[in-house]
Amino acid sequence: MTRSLTARIERYPVRGSFVIARGAKTHVDVVVAEIVDGALRGRGEGTAIYYRGESADTVLAQIERQADAIAAGAARADLLTLMPHGAARNAVDAALWDLEAKASGIPVWQALDLPRPQPMLTAYTISLGEPGAMEVAARAASGHELLKLKLSGEGDLDRVAAVRRGAPDARLIVDANEAWGGQDIERLAHALDKYRVELIEQPVPAGEDHLLDTVNSPIPLCADESCHDRASLGTLIGRYRFINIKLDKAGGLTEAHALVHAARLRGMGLMTGCMLSTSLGIAPAFYIGMQSQFADLDGPLLIEDRDGGMRFQGSDVWPPEPALWG
């Protein structure tokens, strides 16, 4: 029987509010790709990378254009040339991984030659807000071992100090979301060091990474918006000590797994992140998180997740069940 590819947009409300330097979200639209082969069905999910100009509609259209190629037998390796990196390729790539696991009976973690998955520490996000509000949010998240703070530039030291008051024992990482282009980054990093911040994500706008050439930060800097796939690495060496791998940026687990090895060869540390997404989108990212020093896979906690989602308890996320994916 010929394989068939279909896709659809699904909308999920945000729990409370999700605010970063670029604005607030009340819902997220994800795109689900399904590949059916006889009695087997593989699923994958992608969330549009809005700062790359993607939308759920453009992602859906990109997926639908691959229907003939999938019907003709296109494999995951073929997608690397058939589609650009981004959320559409991620969704189709994940659907193929899921289909292969079901057809072979070999779970994805074994296909990747990884150890048996165990519950994994994930960061929990504190949305951007006034210092007082972020302190309250940090107190409410006191059960989470690792907090990730969304920052915006002006007033960020006060925000971090407030979160530290609210969560005196938590580990902290901060995400500037490209907002520190006009800041004295080295001075700011030294000031943040006393609050035991462990990682600073994307301090400068993507494409302006040269601003970091003279920065001597006591806290490791991590490229997020500046790092997409393996082709991104060349401009990051010497400027960042970590990269944030997101499957929607990389264009799927296949490329992301290759990116892990390429980054390690260059001596770079790894963080695994996510867009706002359901557990179906987080499931394949879990296996990149297993290979990373930091994991930020709390997307399903920030929205009304799909039924049958992944298990989150305390500070940990559990591996996906086969009924969900992989």
Side-chain angles (χ1 to χ4, degrees), residues 23-108:
K25 282 182 171 287
T26 58
H27 66 268
V28 60
D29 290 332
V30 303
V31 184
V32 176
E34 289 190 352
I35 300 175
V36 174
D37 189 352
L40 302 176
R41 179 185 65 155
R43 298 188 302 164
E45 177 184 302
T47 301
I49 306 290
Y50 52 91
Y51 52 79
R52 292 186 58 229
E54 294 182 348
S55 69
D57 288 329
T58 65
V59 170
L60 179 67
Q62 286 181 52
I63 293 172
E64 290 176 338
R65 285 196 291 270
Q66 300 305 316
D68 289 345
I70 293 299
R76 290 184 288 104
D78 299 317
L79 298 183
L80 298 179
T81 54
L82 286 171
M83 305 177 74
H85 62 84
R89 195 175 76 191
N90 179 29
V92 180
D93 180 78
L96 285 171
W97 275 105
D98 191 31
L99 187 68
E100 290 169 20
K102 289 179 168 63
S104 67
I106 299 172
V108 168

Side-chain angles (χ1 to χ4, degrees), residues 32-217:
V32 176
E34 289 190 352
I35 300 175
V36 174
D37 189 352
L40 302 176
R41 179 185 65 155
R43 298 188 302 164
E45 177 184 302
T47 301
I49 306 290
Y50 52 91
Y51 52 79
R52 292 186 58 229
E54 294 182 348
S55 69
D57 288 329
T58 65
V59 170
L60 179 67
Q62 286 181 52
I63 293 172
E64 290 176 338
R65 285 196 291 270
Q66 300 305 316
D68 289 345
I70 293 299
R76 290 184 288 104
D78 299 317
L79 298 183
L80 298 179
T81 54
L82 286 171
M83 305 177 74
H85 62 84
R89 195 175 76 191
N90 179 29
V92 180
D93 180 78
L96 285 171
W97 275 105
D98 191 31
L99 187 68
E100 290 169 20
K102 289 179 168 63
S104 67
I106 299 172
V108 168
W109 63 269
Q110 282 189 322
L112 290 169
D113 197 26
L114 296 174
R116 181 176 293 275
Q118 302 295 325
M120 179 171 60
L121 174 69
T122 179
Y124 181 76
T125 301
I126 304 296
S127 285
L128 176 66
E130 293 301 314
M134 294 182 73
E135 180 177 349
V136 169
R139 292 187 191 281
S142 60
H144 294 274
E145 179 181 333
L146 178 63
L147 300 180
K148 173 175 171 174
L149 286 56
K150 292 292 188 178
L151 302 179
S152 67
E154 194 68 31
D156 282 345
L157 273 178
D158 291 337
R159 293 184 175 96
V160 176
V163 169
R164 180 49 80 202
R165 288 193 299 272
D169 299 321
R171 296 171 59 196
L172 300 183
I173 55 181
V174 302
D175 185 1
N177 278 122
E178 306 179 274
W180 289 1
Q183 302 275 333
D184 183 338
I185 295 169
E186 185 168 329
R187 181 195 63 81
L188 190 52
H190 278 276
L192 290 175
D193 197 31
K194 71 178 182 181
Y195 297 112
R196 309 194 310 278
V197 172
E198 298 182 24
L199 196 71
I200 298 171
E201 278 190 76
Q202 197 66 42
V204 298
E208 297 183 19
D209 308 286
H210 63 276
L211 295 174
L212 302 175
D213 286 346
T214 59
V215 172
N216 182 19
S217 172

